[in-house]
Amino acid sequence: MSNTENTTPEKLNFLEEIIEASIKAGQNDIKTRFPPEPNGYLHIGHAKSICLNFGLAEKYNGKCNLRFDDTNPVKEDVEYVDSIQDDVRWLGFQWDSIHYASDYFDQLYEWACELIKKGKAYVDDQPQEEIRLTRGTVTEPGKESPFRNRTPEENLDLFQRMRAGEFKDGEKVLRAKIDMAHPNMLLRDPIMYRIIHTEHHRTGNKWCIYPMYDYAHGQSDSIEHITHSICTLEFDVHRPLYDWFIQALDIFPSHQYEFARLNLTHTVMSKRKLLQLVQDKLVMGWDDPRMPTITALRRRGYTPASIRAFADKVGVAKRDNIIDLGLLEFCVREDLNKTADRRMAVLDPIKVVITNYPDGKEEVIKCINNPEDETRGTRTVPFTKEVYIERDDFMEEPPKKYFRLSPGKEVRLRYAYLIKCEEVIKDASGKITELRCTYDPESKGGGSSDGRKVKGVIHWVPASHALKAEIRLFDRLFTIEDTSNMDEGKSFTDYLNPDSLKTVTGYIEPELGNAAIGEKFQFERLGYFCKDPDSTPDNPVFNRTVTLKDSWSKIAK
Ligand code: ATP
Ligand code: MG
């Protein structure tokens, strides 16, 4: 992906600098992990994290694990576990090994007992609400629990009974015994375990106590010998606690590093909000092509290479920012320009009748599949007396410099003939129903009978051979750029773009009848399109991935 002709030394991002420093200091076995919670489908923000973690491991001959952070049985599901694996593979990465935080429940439990014996953890009977209220504030210390000074023996006994299911949800928690006056509120005796009598998607009913994120995450990293545990910025305040557990247990010293999460304009990027869109049927599902999920981008026609290129261009920042959706579109356009075959389709047709073309005659027109890639060769499109052109490629009263079709003017039908508009036919309402044209028989594929030059080239399909197709035209899902910046009292769903999906019936060239689901094309002059799984033999469906117009490239250079 990098430009090999470019000999200037590569600029490292801050994580690469950190890793290179660790390698210099003698750490050879670099290991990262991607740790999703299986409580929803992955989105483009996760894709950034995947590219980063797997990418760093690849670059430094290390390893990257996939680990499901499945410590909350209430919101998690196997459907998500499966989709996450699909998405990572589809993006082009292979994990070294796959793990579940739930695989470590026994080890985590043993370690919790160890901390209890060392006097570093205790069972608290206060309700969670009380614990929250007595944590203090940034300026005031918290209040110690009346149960804080239980003996290790009593704590061990209570903790074992918590595990054995003697108590109801919320009756007791296990807390780390750190410092109720610590300036970092997260270190004021954080909760390590809570009681949840809910079946877990992997461990069934074996457990009714579940570890909190802060206690599970770092220890899981340590078990797997993760050297660089990369997470998003909001976890920087958790780092001292991450280190505290590892030191208190004296286990493999994994370290945590934070980078800024990816935010994109005109969308939302939290699984909770995405789930709400799905559950409230505001979109067709997790893979609705307007969603920012990986599965949706894939259905829409994005390629793994385009998403990896996007992650690369975004880079790694240390401060939160919001990236223009136009950059993502730029990346897919660049990739598809090289890889997608060209086809012709007309989305809003007017019929053109070529009056001097013999009735019943049919020719084949040779069309180039991809001018960017000769090896893609050519195909043919039948040419007949009647063709469809795009309604907005004709203007009855054109302004100056209008090079498309207008009365008395000539235009080239792409790869075929020059035609000249002789007569405009309208219905009773004044709508144009047909254009009568003549053609220059000497102009096939280029040139003309007398050497005259014609500027305009438009796409077309043969009326009798074209297939009907359902074309889905997508636009941004939200009307505002920054969905975290809403007016007071508004919900993010108030900003859904009512015009984010427009469905039209178009005509496509016959060759497209053979397209496979997921196959991608450039419809000449219209954009990039991908065949949707909703297609049936009678009703092919194409999603517009992105238009051809490129509003980003000026800024991206
Ligand atoms: P969400 O808030 O969207 O539900 P999450 O952080 O709860 O996301 P996890 O499943 O916990 O989702 O995330 C797995 C990994 O992906 C974590 O390391 C997390 O930091 C990273 N990640 C999540 N969202 C983003 C984002 N927008 N940009 C970069 N990395 C992200
Ligand atoms: Mg999370």
Side-chain angles (χ1 to χ4, degrees):
M1 252 171 287
S2 64
N3 186 351
T4 46
E5 282 153 42
N6 190 345
T7 50
T8 51
E10 179 203 13
K11 192 166 170 350
L12 300 180
N13 66 48
F14 78 95
L15 291 169
E16 292 168 333
E17 277 171 5
I18 289 169
I19 293 182
E20 294 200 1
S22 351
I23 293 172
K24 271 204 189 108
Q27 188 157 47
N28 291 315
D29 34 11
I30 299 303
K31 207 161 179 192
T32 58
R33 86 288 170 264
F34 173 64
E37 187 181 350
N39 61 351
Y41 280 69
L42 298 182
H43 51 61
I44 182 78
H46 295 112
K48 168 73 217 169
S49 174
I50 292 168
C51 292
L52 187 60
N53 280 295
F54 283 90
L56 286 169
E58 254 168 38
K59 177 165 180 179
Y60 294 105
N61 286 322
K63 291 174 176 167
C64 182
N65 284 353
L66 175 61
R67 179 168 75 238
F68 290 102
D69 190 6
D70 57 349
T71 52
N72 184 352
V74 183
K75 291 190 270 165
E76 295 161 6
D77 200 281
V78 240
E79 177 192 352
Y80 303 134
V81 170
D82 295 342
S83 74
I84 288 169
Q85 295 183 50
D86 271 359
D87 287 348
V88 173
R89 273 195 227 104
W90 179 77
L91 278 173
F93 298 106
Q94 184 54 57
W95 45 86
D96 181 60
S97 52
I98 192 163
H99 299 281
Y100 296 81
S102 56
D103 290 344
Y104 307 138
F105 282 171
D106 283 295
Q107 175 70 81
L108 292 173
Y109 178 81
E110 264 172 48
W111 279 340
C113 294
E114 211 175 285
L115 290 178
I116 292 173
K117 287 180 207 152
K118 288 181 178 170
K120 293 187 176 194
Y122 62 97
V123 172
D124 195 348
D125 296 1
Q126 297 183 106
Q128 289 199 33
E129 179 59 10
E130 184 66 20
I131 294 175
R132 201 178 58 78
L133 290 173
T134 51
R135 266 203 336 162
T137 64
V138 190
T139 49
E140 278 168 74
K143 219 174 84 201
E144 291 192 356
S145 163
F147 304 97
R148 196 173 196 264
N149 293 317
R150 283 176 159 152
T151 62
E153 293 70 32
E154 190 186 357
N155 281 320
L156 205 54
D157 174 60
L158 286 170
F159 187 51
Q160 279 159 356
R161 288 165 56 198
M162 274 170 70
R163 178 194 181 163
E166 280 189 33
F167 308 111
K168 290 205 265 314
D169 287 12
E171 257 181 33
K172 287 187 172 26
V173 293
L174 183 73
R175 295 177 77 177
K177 191 170 180 177
I178 305 179
D179 179 0
M180 285 308 289
H182 202 285
N184 181 334
M185 306 261 296
L186 290 174
L187 277 82
R188 294 184 186 171
D189 293 9
I191 297 176
M192 292 169 60
Y193 273 92
R194 70 264 201 241
I195 301 172
I196 308 177
H197 287 274
T198 296
E199 191 169 297
H200 184 279
H201 69 99
R202 295 193 83 236
T203 56
N205 290 307
K206 179 172 174 194
W207 297 89
C208 62
I209 54 170
Y210 291 94
M212 300 293 286
Y213 172 88
D214 282 317
Y215 178 61
H217 201 89
Q219 283 38 260
S220 303
D221 283 342
S222 181
I223 292 169
E224 293 172 28
H225 286 205
I226 302 301
T227 54
H228 296 77
S229 174
I230 297 163
C231 62
T232 41
L233 224 49
E234 67 273 22
F235 288 99
D236 68 343
V237 288
H238 295 248
R239 190 178 349 109
L241 184 53
Y242 182 103
D243 294 339
W244 188 89
F245 282 123
I246 283 180
Q247 276 155 19
L249 289 165
D250 194 20
I251 53 181
F252 180 86
S254 297
H255 288 287
Q256 178 188 300
Y257 304 92
E258 307 88 20
F259 74 105
R261 21 179 349 109
L262 170 72
N263 298 301
L264 257 197
T265 59
H266 301 283
T267 194
V268 289
M269 208 104 87
S270 109
K271 282 183 277 191
R272 184 181 57 76
K273 288 181 180 163
L274 296 173
L275 180 64
Q276 189 183 333
L277 293 176
V278 173
Q279 283 178 339
D280 296 352
K281 301 211 166 12
L282 297 168
V283 293
M284 299 182 272
W286 284 103
D287 67 346
D288 183 308
R290 293 166 294 178
M291 293 276 273
T293 53
I294 298 177
T295 180
L297 290 166
R298 174 178 180 174
R299 180 169 173 188
R300 176 136 170 190
Y302 275 77
T303 56
S306 65
I307 294 177
R308 291 195 306 259
F310 171 72
D312 231 34
K313 278 197 200 305
V314 166
V316 253
K318 277 195 201 172
R319 219 168 285 152
D320 278 321
N321 57 0
I322 180 162
I323 303 290
D324 196 310
L325 187 57
L327 180 61
L328 185 61
E329 295 181 339
F330 169 82
C331 292
V332 74
R333 218 179 257 127
E334 259 209 330
D335 188 36
L336 291 176
N337 180 43
K338 288 182 246 143
T339 56
D341 278 358
R342 276 51 169 170
R343 295 288 183 268
M344 291 195 287
V346 171
L347 303 192
D348 183 11
I350 320 186
K351 186 185 272 186
V352 167
V353 178
I354 303 165
T355 51
N356 61 337
Y357 194 83
D359 288 340
K361 179 171 174 180
E362 191 177 311
E363 292 177 75
V364 289
I365 302 293
K366 199 160 117 179
C367 302
I368 293 170
N369 279 332
N370 188 347
E372 302 285 323
D373 180 0
E374 246 178 56
T375 65
R376 297 298 305 162
T378 59
R379 70 186 187 286
T380 58
V381 178
F383 189 83
T384 52
K385 191 179 177 79
E386 295 185 354
V387 301
Y388 291 125
I389 65 164
E390 211 69 66
R391 186 165 289 276
D392 69 4
D393 279 336
F394 176 79
M395 253 180 127
E396 207 169 2
E397 288 163 35
K400 263 193 189 164
K401 300 210 168 162
Y402 183 81
F403 297 117
R404 291 174 271 165
L405 197 60
S406 57
K409 290 279 164 55
E410 253 184 325
V411 77
R412 175 168 300 281
L413 295 176
R414 179 89 158 139
Y415 296 119
Y417 292 104
L418 294 174
I419 57 165
K420 182 174 176 184
C421 176
E422 310 284 358
E423 195 186 344
V424 182
I425 314 284
K426 297 178 185 174
D427 65 12
S429 72
K431 187 178 175 188
I432 298 171
T433 53
E434 189 178 305
L435 301 173
R436 300 250 161 114
C437 297
T438 51
Y439 85 119
D440 176 352
E442 305 297 309
S443 64
K444 190 175 178 183
S448 61
S449 49
D450 59 1
R452 69 192 185 283
K453 297 253 182 298
V454 172
K455 266 200 175 153
V457 180
I458 63 174
H459 61 275
W460 55 278
V461 292
S464 49
H465 295 76
L467 308 171
K468 272 193 181 178
E470 179 180 329
I471 313 281
R472 297 179 180 167
L473 304 171
F474 303 107
D475 198 355
R476 344 224 103 163
L477 190 50
F478 290 90
T479 53
I480 51 170
E481 270 195 16
D482 183 355
T483 49
S484 69
N485 191 7
M486 296 183 289
D487 288 338
E488 238 182 84
K490 291 270 190 185
S491 144
F492 74 101
T493 54
D494 295 334
Y495 295 94
L496 278 166
N497 177 4
D499 302 316
S500 59
L501 169 61
K502 207 175 124 200
T503 302
V504 300
T505 302
Y507 289 92
I508 57 178
E509 63 168 82
E511 181 72 24
L512 281 168
N514 305 320
I517 302 294
E519 214 177 335
K520 298 159 184 65
F521 301 96
Q522 183 193 99
F523 289 179
E524 296 228 22
R525 302 179 61 235
L526 297 175
Y528 293 97
F529 290 77
C530 174
K531 189 163 177 187
D532 190 82
D534 282 349
S535 299
T536 62
D538 297 334
N539 185 46
V541 178
F542 284 88
N543 297 319
R544 182 174 68 197
T545 311
V546 68
T547 55
L548 285 184
K549 201 182 90 218
D550 174 355
S551 53
W552 181 261
S553 62
K554 281 170 255 122
I555 321 166
K557 291 284 149 64

